[in-house]
Amino acid sequence: MPRYDWTREELLLACALVVDNGWRELRSTDPRIMELSELLRALPVHEGAAESDPNFRSPNSVKLKTSNIMTAYRGYHGTLMKGGRGTLKVVEDFTEHPAEMLAAAYSLRAGIASGELLAISEQADDGDSDPVDVLEGRLLARWAHYRERDRSLRTRKIQSVTRSGLTIRCEVCGFDFHQIYGGLGDGYIEVHHRLPLHISGPTKTQPDDLALLCANCHRMCHKSFRDKSWRTPDELKAEMEKSADD
């Protein structure tokens, strides 16, 4: 049988369980371990693994991973187990960003339970961000891009801004596609969630939840940088102002 390395998403869910258990490992017979085993087998990150290998992410293997996580925690004083760089990284992120990491794990669970996450196919530019360096992991980043590409969301947002008598332009840099490209750029803009999906979860998006951005600012809002994989338009604007001052 092939070996399936633990992905960022799998580690995110396992570490959240250990954190909820006071940074202690869990037994393989614990109902929470058995539930997580079933969840990991349904996660769309190792295609065909659950069908071909009945031992894939079994309760015993999940229990072992919780032991790896426990010993990687800086508050543990026993012998460190070999859990791999990914395990060390996710434990470090949970230690430094506990609220954000737990929110990402809970949102990931909610997305799987809703069925929405499972139905999202891989996007052409998924490889632009290193999933190890992105706090919420590639699945939630993919989910965000998928939602922001929803034409109905974009149309509703543009209609809302137009009805308010405002100009369709980037909220960060002020770029106006119509002003630069004329009729070709008339009404063109991209949208970005003001609140990260790994925090909001599978909620129904309203126009006020979205910001209008040019393509460049949109990419910068999503770019993984210094352990931050998402920034709001206001945060991006602050980065631009800081850069200008430097």
Side-chain angles (χ1 to χ4, degrees):
M1 289 291 180
R3 174 185 173 182
Y4 297 99
D5 292 333
W6 283 68
T7 65
R8 176 73 177 183
E9 284 79 11
E10 293 174 303
L11 292 170
L12 184 71
L13 293 172
C15 196
L17 189 58
V18 175
V19 171
D20 284 339
N21 198 47
W23 284 104
R24 297 187 301 271
E25 64 182 338
L26 294 91
R27 295 181 181 275
S28 60
T29 54
D30 190 304
R32 293 169 293 177
I33 286 287
M34 300 174 71
E35 185 272 340
L36 180 56
S37 171
E38 293 183 6
L39 190 68
L40 294 179
R41 288 175 62 82
L43 204 62
V45 293
H46 296 294
E47 188 174 355
E51 291 77 12
S52 62
D53 184 359
N55 293 317
F56 171 73
R57 299 301 182 256
S58 66
N60 283 333
S61 70
V62 177
K63 181 269 177 194
L64 178 60
K65 181 51 66 178
T66 67
S67 299
N68 296 156
I69 291 170
M70 176 189 70
T71 68
Y73 179 52
R74 66 181 59 168
Y76 182 75
H77 302 294
T79 302
L80 175 66
M81 298 177 65
K82 294 182 179 180
R85 288 192 303 171
T87 299
L88 293 174
K89 176 62 176 168
V90 82
V91 169
E92 176 186 336
D93 288 340
F94 262 97
T95 303
E96 297 181 359
H97 312 279
E100 187 172 1
M101 294 295 286
L102 282 172
Y106 297 152
S107 184
L108 183 57
R109 279 182 168 274
I112 295 169
S114 70
E116 186 176 6
L117 245 178
L118 303 180
I120 297 175
S121 61
E122 190 162 345
Q123 305 298 304
D125 57 358
D126 276 352
D128 288 353
S129 295
D130 185 346
V132 173
D133 291 331
V134 178
L135 287 183
E136 77 271 20
R138 181 169 290 180
L139 272 181
L140 290 178
R142 184 188 304 170
W143 191 11
H145 281 292
Y146 177 83
R147 281 194 169 189
E148 289 170 3
R149 288 169 180 158
D150 185 337
R151 289 183 178 274
S152 65
L153 285 180
R154 177 178 166 278
T155 299
R156 287 169 54 206
K157 175 63 178 179
I158 290 176
Q159 289 175 342
S160 175
V161 172
T162 302
R163 283 196 298 268
S164 300
L166 301 176
T167 302
I168 303 299
R169 63 175 59 176
C170 178
E171 295 183 22
V172 173
C173 70
F175 188 88
D176 184 332
F177 283 87
H178 175 74
Q179 186 179 58
I180 301 299
Y181 298 108
L184 178 63
D186 191 29
Y188 182 80
I189 199 76
E190 296 185 9
V191 297
H192 175 71
H193 284 88
R194 297 185 187 279
L195 183 66
L197 287 180
H198 70 261
I199 294 178
S200 69
T203 57
K204 185 173 181 179
T205 304
Q206 302 297 330
D208 287 345
D209 299 326
L210 301 169
L212 298 181
L213 298 180
C214 69
N216 285 344
C217 288
H218 193 187
R219 298 297 289 186
M220 290 298 101
C221 277
H222 278 284
K223 189 175 187 299
S224 178
F225 182 64
R226 294 176 180 170
D227 277 346
K228 187 177 181 64
S229 59
W230 185 288
R231 51 201 53 79
T232 66
D234 285 342
E235 288 172 334
L236 181 60
K237 189 177 295 185
E239 288 279 356
M240 293 175 66
E241 293 172 352
K242 178 182 177 182
S243 178
D245 291 339
D246 294 342

